Amino acid sequence: MTESAYMKKVSIFQPVRKKSGFTLVEVVIAMGMLAVVTAAIFALYNSQHRVTTIEEDVVDVQQNIRIALDIVTHDMMSAGFGVAGGTNPISAVSDNGGAGGSDMITTNTASLSGALARIDADLSANVAAGTNIAFTVASGGQADAFSTGDVVRILNLADKNQPIDTTFTVASVDNTVPSVTLTPGASGAGILFKAGYVISRTGGAYPDVLLFCVGPAAGCGPLVTSCPAGQTCLMRILNGVPDNDSVLATNVQDFQVRYVVDGSTVEADAPADLSTVRAVRVTVTGQTVDTAALSGGQKTRELTAIARIRNR
């Protein structure tokens, strides 16, 4: 047998080799499996992203009302500071009389800013409107609490009265003497300013009147630009004039105040005698807005704090 015939015979018994590759059916199956896996990954990502976005909105709401609650309780503890006798720290309350059944509360205080300087030496003077008077104060740091143009009053904190019922304007400060020079807005003869009286930055009104409420609503000021349209906000309205600085928190659903009075441990919604209030429990409830559609509805957060009325 020749070599050519042998090779031809051997080739008869060898299997025929196919070219490598995928059939159309295999490709379609692979693409279908890939689509299922991709859809599952996308659904998982989308769900996680939605949860993260919602939680971030909830955290923002909680921080929002926490800051507002801190401001409210601080102002409650300052209520009555430097206020003349006969004026209650809390002057009016409304139980469920505000927007959405929220509460309203009005407080009085002589100095919201807390800028104070203690007069360090007795001074008897005939006060003339527009004529400057220099007062020595306890320290340079106290003098630096004021700036030229500030409106202040002089208060006798011991009996919660003023030696002269007028405002003063700060003309200059000197932290080396130290002293504060004031321009009175009214005149008075033989006025005694005693050591220990305080110069207090108060503003034009005396005392400053603060209204806390949920608005915009009747009795709680008009819509201001810092309270988004369609939302209700916790407002801190100074001396009856709402502005953009009045908004403490947006997305507020409810504001509730309960009162502890002398001789009782039971909290009241609206005490008959406001002079007996010794502490208040403040509750602020906020709600999500931006992610309400993602979560199937608004989520709420509620925070509570108790403030003691220290200046009765």
Side-chain angles (χ1 to χ4, degrees), residues 1-212:
M1 182 181 294
T2 65
E3 182 179 355
S4 176
Y6 174 77
M7 294 300 295
K8 186 175 181 180
K9 182 177 180 180
V10 170
S11 65
I12 295 173
F13 299 100
Q14 290 180 339
V16 178
R17 295 183 178 180
K18 298 180 180 179
K19 294 182 179 181
S20 60
F22 299 102
T23 66
L24 179 60
V25 173
E26 291 173 330
V27 171
V28 171
I29 293 173
M31 291 179 64
M33 294 175 63
L34 180 61
V36 171
V37 172
T38 302
I41 293 174
F42 179 78
L44 179 62
Y45 168 78
N46 192 46
S47 175
Q48 187 62 40
H49 178 69
R50 184 171 62 251
V51 169
T52 301
T53 303
I54 293 170
E55 288 304 313
E56 287 178 351
D57 197 16
V58 170
V59 170
D60 286 345
V61 168
Q62 185 160 322
Q63 288 297 100
N64 192 29
I65 62 175
R66 185 185 302 280
I67 293 171
L69 189 63
D70 286 345
I71 295 172
V72 173
T73 53
H74 176 271
D75 285 336
M76 292 295 175
M77 289 187 289
S78 299
F81 173 77
V83 174
T87 301
N88 293 329
I90 297 174
S91 58
V93 300
S94 175
D95 180 39
N96 298 328
S102 60
D103 289 350
M104 304 170 74
I105 180 171
T106 304
T107 67
N108 301 303
T109 185
S111 180
L112 293 173
S113 66
L116 304 168
R118 180 170 57 84
I119 295 175
D120 205 38
D122 289 353
L123 174 65
S124 182
N126 291 320
V127 177
T131 302
N132 291 347
I133 304 174
F135 296 90
T136 58
V137 296
S139 68
Q142 291 183 11
D144 286 337
F146 300 95
S147 299
T148 300
D150 283 350
V151 177
V152 303
R153 287 180 181 265
I154 296 178
L155 307 173
N156 175 6
L157 296 183
D159 61 11
K160 297 184 177 180
N161 282 315
Q162 303 173 85
I164 179 171
D165 185 6
T166 187
T167 58
F168 295 77
T169 302
V170 176
S172 64
V173 297
D174 186 342
N175 60 11
T176 60
V177 174
S179 66
V180 178
T181 300
L182 305 178
T183 306
S187 301
I191 306 300
L192 176 60
F193 302 97
K194 298 187 67 174
Y197 288 5
V198 298
I199 301 170
S200 172
R201 187 167 66 214
T202 62
Y206 178 78
D208 280 325
V209 178
L210 277 179
L211 169 63
F212 296 94

Side-chain angles (χ1 to χ4, degrees), residues 204 213 270:
C213 55

Side-chain angles (χ1 to χ4, degrees), residues 253 287-289 292 295-300:
Q253 183 184 33
Q287 59 188 0
T288 59
V289 172
S295 58
Q298 293 175 322
K299 293 184 176 295
T300 63

